[in-house]
Amino acid sequence: MARRSAVAWAAFGPLLWGCALGLQGGMLYPQESRSRERKELDGLWSFRADFSDNRRRGFEEQWYRRPLRESGPTLDMPVPSSFNDISQDWRLRHFVGWVWYEREVILPERWTQDLHTRVVLRIGSAHSYAIVWVNGVDTLEHEGGYLPFEADISNLVQVGPLPSRLRITIAINNTLTPTTLPPGTIQYMNDTSKYPKGYFVQNTYFDFFNYAGLQRSVLLYTTPTTYIDDITVTTGVEHDSGLVNYQISVKGSNLFELEARLLDAENKVVANGTGTQGQLKVPGASLWWPYLMHERPAYLYSLEVRLTAQTSLGPVSDFYSLPVGIRTVAVTESQFLINGKPFYFHGVNKHEDADIRGKGFDWPLLVKDFNLLRWLGANAFRTSHYPYAEEVLQMCDRHGIVVIDECPGVGLALPQFFNNVSLHHHMRVMEEVVRRDKNHPAVVMWSVANEPASHLESAGYYLKMVIAHTKALDPSRPVTFVSNSNYAADKGAPYVDVICLNSYYSWYHDYGHLELIQLQLATQFENWYKKYQKPIIQSEYGAETIAGFHQDPPLMFTEEYQKSLLEQYHLGLDQKRRKYVVGELIWNFADFMTEQSLTRVLGNKKGIFTRQRQPKSAAFLLRERYWKIANETRYPHSVAKSQCLENSPFT
Ligand code: GCB
């Protein structure tokens, strides 16, 4: 087979970075430092859904001008959480339109009086369109769920008579339109013999419940008035040395000095530099390796940036510390390389979904999921089908779990969704994803979409543009989208670096006929590889399984069927695994909620864990396989401590 030389993105260095970024400003994770404070606004907020016919009463009556309780009854709403499953009112579960959140905050006096201090309001995510008022003043708008947005509110809190309380009002609209991501349509039901006047339903084209609300933390944080606005890091390896390229943007003054120090895990300075950009060289660097690939995975340095500036108010300093993993990512025509070694993704697809909190961020759930991933021997996941909370990626960096970071480009099923407005929005969303997640060593590839109608000509152009834009934004990582199209018809595949394929043999097709899987899977792989000569990831496969249903010989929906289906897939995967198939991600890590339909029993049940994170039989099968693969693919070759054999309670 003719070998194409490895495309090693990291080698491009910092110069190309950000050249196509249209966004204003950075989106560094808000952290406490010697110069920065943060105040979390998690907890109970006041809440009201606008049930008026046009859903606009809140705007007509200007609910943001006064405390929300003065314009009508309110509910207690926990933040972060989705609002859908919290109340006993079924109308709220299925609500489409504007909901209103409000919270009063008392600010520390220093924040309101110290004119060296900049106060920022940051919303972790609001699905899907949000308008924010502070003390009744229109402050911020954002389109798109799953990504953070923020505003400098210093001028609202540091003028006039000191406000003892700050009132934050956030109106959120969860309506999906042909130009949102994900897209959706509103269908009015005009047959008055069946539906009341004005009756409508929201149609979606994806398979998860459209949970909405303030699903991630809202917080206030401070920086000095001259501050570190953004840091971009790319890394490389040259012989024995690690290379850390950094680029820092500063806002608030042109008169400043920057110092960057790279500290190892023992807090020893290993390299330093000055100025807004540079390259730090670390002889004998410890590399960031994925979990199970190496005996010392997930090594993190920290890049400590110190800014000192002269301002009209006097000297100010700002400090920010960024975790840095030194690693390279490259792709050949048949391999995915991390640090120059072949990497095999043996992992899962997830959803940020559980119980009554919906998609609300939750630390116990996150830690439990990571314990399960380690128990399973999973080394990777895809953020199907939207970017997850930043805290999730921080955990991945620390634990060495590799991430395919997917944007909310899911449900692009209809021809009318491939229009210019959508394309520009999609590009902007990729800018926001890259801006937020670019520094995570765990993120090794961007996925711009899941199962778009990529057989359409218009989709081909659309995907080409989004992929090219993403590559321009971040030349350091490969880009993909996840396809379920036919290999010969797919118009987007020529533009990806890695082919990601979803297939559901013996589930959605030939259901019940497990004996066909190996043949169909082999045909799938061979066709795609022959046409594109690119590495392939089986990015979804699985079977709906109701925990506790048993039947042997296996029948659909039982734990035995799920196990047998997986076994057949694994035989097929093993045929190609050492050739050009570079990964397998089960659908799904855990059961999750969907819209109601005839094919979903209280949601999608293809999890190997239940929604409560208890294992089905397939979890044990997968665990054995993943540990076996881990031991075969480990570098340098040594036996991974198999948590599978030891069954240690402390893993
Ligand atoms: C898919 C989709 C995923 C669905 C899954 C299923 O291909 O990408 O969102 O949940 O199939 O279970 O049907």
Side-chain angles (χ1 to χ4, degrees):
M1 167 196 319
R3 291 243 154 190
R4 190 173 66 183
S5 62
V7 184
W9 285 270
F12 287 97
L15 286 179
L16 293 173
W17 263 103
C19 53
L21 200 71
L23 298 173
Q24 292 294 310
M27 194 53 69
L28 288 175
Y29 185 72
Q31 67 174 209
E32 282 175 333
S33 74
R34 281 155 67 190
S35 55
R36 295 170 175 234
E37 292 166 79
R38 52 181 263 171
K39 185 176 173 63
E40 273 160 37
L41 305 183
D42 295 351
L44 286 187
W45 287 55
S46 297
F47 174 91
R48 183 183 309 137
D50 185 344
F51 283 107
S52 63
D53 284 347
N54 65 1
R55 304 290 197 249
R56 296 201 57 82
R57 179 171 298 152
F59 294 95
E60 286 155 12
E61 296 180 357
Q62 303 186 326
W63 288 352
Y64 48 87
R65 301 203 86 174
R66 299 174 291 150
L68 200 54
R69 61 183 176 277
E70 291 179 16
S71 52
T74 58
L75 298 176
D76 285 340
M77 188 54 70
V79 172
S81 84
S82 309
F83 62 75
N84 309 78
D85 284 344
I86 297 292
S87 90
Q88 288 304 97
D89 186 346
W90 65 267
R91 293 178 312 154
L92 191 54
R93 182 163 204 279
H94 305 293
F95 183 79
V96 178
W98 289 99
V99 297
W100 292 71
Y101 283 78
E102 182 201 77
R103 162 90 195 245
E104 289 188 351
V105 195
I106 298 175
L107 293 183
E109 206 169 67
R110 197 186 69 73
W111 292 22
T112 60
Q113 293 185 347
D114 178 0
L115 298 184
H116 281 296
T117 292
R118 179 175 158 264
V119 181
V120 182
L121 169 62
R122 187 191 217 254
I123 290 127
S125 77
H127 185 59
S128 168
Y129 193 91
I131 306 178
V132 182
W133 295 263
V134 174
N135 288 340
V137 178
D138 192 345
T139 307
L140 184 59
E141 293 195 21
H142 185 259
E143 181 177 354
Y146 313 113
L147 287 162
F149 51 103
E150 62 180 34
D152 180 342
I153 58 166
S154 315
N155 60 352
L156 293 171
V157 301
Q158 291 172 342
V159 285
L162 295 180
S164 56
R165 280 171 188 274
L166 199 64
R167 189 163 40 81
I168 300 171
T169 315
I170 307 179
I172 302 176
N173 196 329
N174 63 350
T175 308
L176 302 178
T177 74
T179 58
T180 55
L181 273 194
T185 51
I186 295 287
Q187 187 181 358
Y188 282 90
M189 310 304 240
N190 296 327
D191 180 348
T192 48
S193 69
K194 288 188 184 160
Y195 305 97
K197 200 166 160 274
Y199 195 86
F200 67 88
V201 289
Q202 167 89 72
N203 292 321
T204 59
Y205 304 86
F206 51 83
D207 183 36
F208 55 91
F209 189 75
N210 192 32
Y211 280 117
L214 292 174
Q215 303 180 128
R216 295 181 191 156
S217 288
V218 179
L219 54 86
L220 293 163
Y221 71 94
T222 65
T223 72
T225 42
T226 297
Y227 60 97
I228 300 159
D229 170 56
D230 200 10
I231 306 172
T232 303
V233 159
T234 57
T235 61
V237 178
E238 203 179 72
H239 308 299
D240 193 24
S241 295
L243 305 177
V244 177
N245 306 304
Y246 66 86
Q247 196 170 313
I248 303 165
S249 94
V250 170
K251 289 225 165 125
S253 166
N254 291 326
L255 289 175
F256 60 82
E257 281 175 15
L258 277 170
E259 253 178 82
R261 303 191 308 164
L262 194 71
L263 272 59
D264 67 12
E266 280 77 47
N267 269 335
K268 261 195 14 239
V269 178
V270 293
N272 52 39
T274 54
T276 54
Q277 64 178 57
Q279 184 174 76
L280 304 178
K281 197 164 178 175
V282 189
S286 298
L287 301 186
W288 187 94
W289 288 94
Y291 168 56
L292 294 174
M293 194 179 174
H294 194 270
E295 50 204 10
R296 213 168 164 209
Y299 191 93
L300 289 176
Y301 292 86
S302 57
L303 184 71
E304 304 227 317
V305 179
R306 179 200 177 118
L307 163 80
T308 40
Q310 292 304 325
T311 70
S312 53
L313 297 168
V316 297
S317 303
D318 190 18
F319 302 86
Y320 196 91
S321 170
L322 184 79
V324 171
I326 301 177
R327 57 111 184 89
T328 62
V329 173
V331 171
T332 69
E333 74 176 21
S334 61
Q335 289 180 325
F336 194 99
L337 303 173
I338 296 185
N339 299 335
K341 305 290 172 206
F343 176 73
Y344 188 77
F345 295 77
H346 45 92
V348 303
N349 288 277
K350 289 184 94 256
H351 263 299
E352 284 189 313
D353 170 285
D355 298 328
I356 51 171
R357 66 181 75 88
K359 287 196 194 308
F361 177 78
D362 182 65
W363 277 111
L365 179 74
L366 178 58
V367 174
K368 178 71 177 176
D369 280 3
F370 270 73
N371 286 334
L372 290 176
L373 288 172
R374 292 174 61 108
W375 175 89
L376 199 61
N379 66 358
F381 65 81
R382 170 167 66 122
T383 66
S384 41
H385 296 306
Y386 38 83
Y388 294 174
E390 291 151 285
E391 291 81 357
V392 179
L393 296 183
Q394 290 163 4
M395 286 281 277
C396 291
D397 291 344
R398 285 182 36 231
H399 289 272
I401 304 285
V402 165
V403 175
I404 300 172
D405 200 352
E406 187 160 276
C407 89
V410 58
L412 291 160
L414 305 181
Q416 61 265 36
F417 295 162
F418 299 97
N419 59 65
N420 259 339
V421 179
S422 299
L423 176 60
H424 281 112
H425 178 55
H426 203 139
M427 288 180 170
R428 189 184 160 93
V429 169
M430 284 318 302
E431 291 176 13
E432 290 186 29
V433 178
V434 173
R435 176 176 66 171
R436 194 196 71 163
D437 295 344
K438 62 191 172 185
N439 293 322
H440 289 284
V443 174
V444 299
M445 181 156 65
W446 307 111
S447 165
V448 303
N450 179 67
E451 297 187 352
S454 49
H455 59 282
L456 300 172
E457 287 295 342
S458 55
Y461 172 75
Y462 182 105
L463 288 164
K464 176 182 170 181
M465 298 304 283
V466 177
I467 291 169
H469 190 59
T470 308
K471 282 171 172 279
L473 291 166
D474 178 7
S476 82
R477 289 177 180 89
V479 182
T480 189
F481 75 91
V482 172
S483 176
N484 67 342
S485 294
N486 177 280
Y487 77 98
D490 197 299
K491 301 285 188 299
Y495 311 111
V496 300
D497 298 304
V498 175
I499 305 266
C500 288
L501 300 177
N502 295 348
S503 61
Y504 285 89
Y505 302 129
S506 303
W507 189 260
Y508 289 122
H509 323 272
D510 302 299
Y511 36 85
H513 293 279
L514 294 166
E515 68 279 9
L516 298 176
I517 291 176
Q518 284 190 59
L519 171 65
Q520 297 187 358
L521 193 59
T523 311
Q524 168 197 275
F525 286 143
E526 279 155 23
N527 283 340
W528 280 87
Y529 191 67
K530 209 162 134 203
K531 181 154 167 84
Y532 296 104
Q533 308 271 296
K534 295 178 184 181
I536 300 177
I537 294 176
Q538 181 69 40
S539 40
E540 286 184 26
Y541 68 105
E544 209 76 18
T545 307
I546 316 278
F549 274 28
H550 292 285
Q551 188 81 32
D552 196 32
L555 293 184
M556 290 175 79
F557 296 98
T558 66
E559 297 198 24
E560 286 73 18
Y561 192 89
Q562 185 183 37
K563 250 180 88 175
S564 304
L565 184 141
L566 263 56
E567 271 164 354
Q568 291 304 309
Y569 259 90
H570 295 162
L571 289 169
L573 284 158
D574 283 341
Q575 294 299 313
K576 309 288 182 214
R577 171 151 85 78
R578 289 181 196 83
K579 298 183 178 141
Y580 50 80
V581 170
V582 298
E584 53 188 88
L585 306 174
I586 181 81
W587 190 264
N588 189 285
F589 173 72
D591 294 345
F592 57 91
M593 189 47 72
T594 62
E595 290 294 347
Q596 300 178 78
S597 85
L598 292 175
T599 56
R600 296 287 178 260
V601 187
L602 277 182
N604 186 309
K605 294 275 190 283
K606 294 195 185 71
I608 54 162
F609 296 101
T610 62
R611 211 169 175 226
Q612 291 69 37
R613 279 28 184 192
Q614 296 309 317
K616 302 179 192 172
S617 309
F620 296 94
L621 175 88
L622 212 61
R623 182 187 197 212
E624 218 176 295
R625 174 173 176 79
Y626 283 179
W627 279 99
K628 188 169 153 275
I629 297 178
N631 277 319
E632 282 171 22
T633 54
R634 205 165 151 78
Y635 170 82
H637 286 295
S638 60
V639 179
K641 256 195 151 187
S642 171
Q643 291 159 7
C644 187
L645 294 175
E646 286 180 355
N647 205 16
S648 157
F650 303 112
T651 53

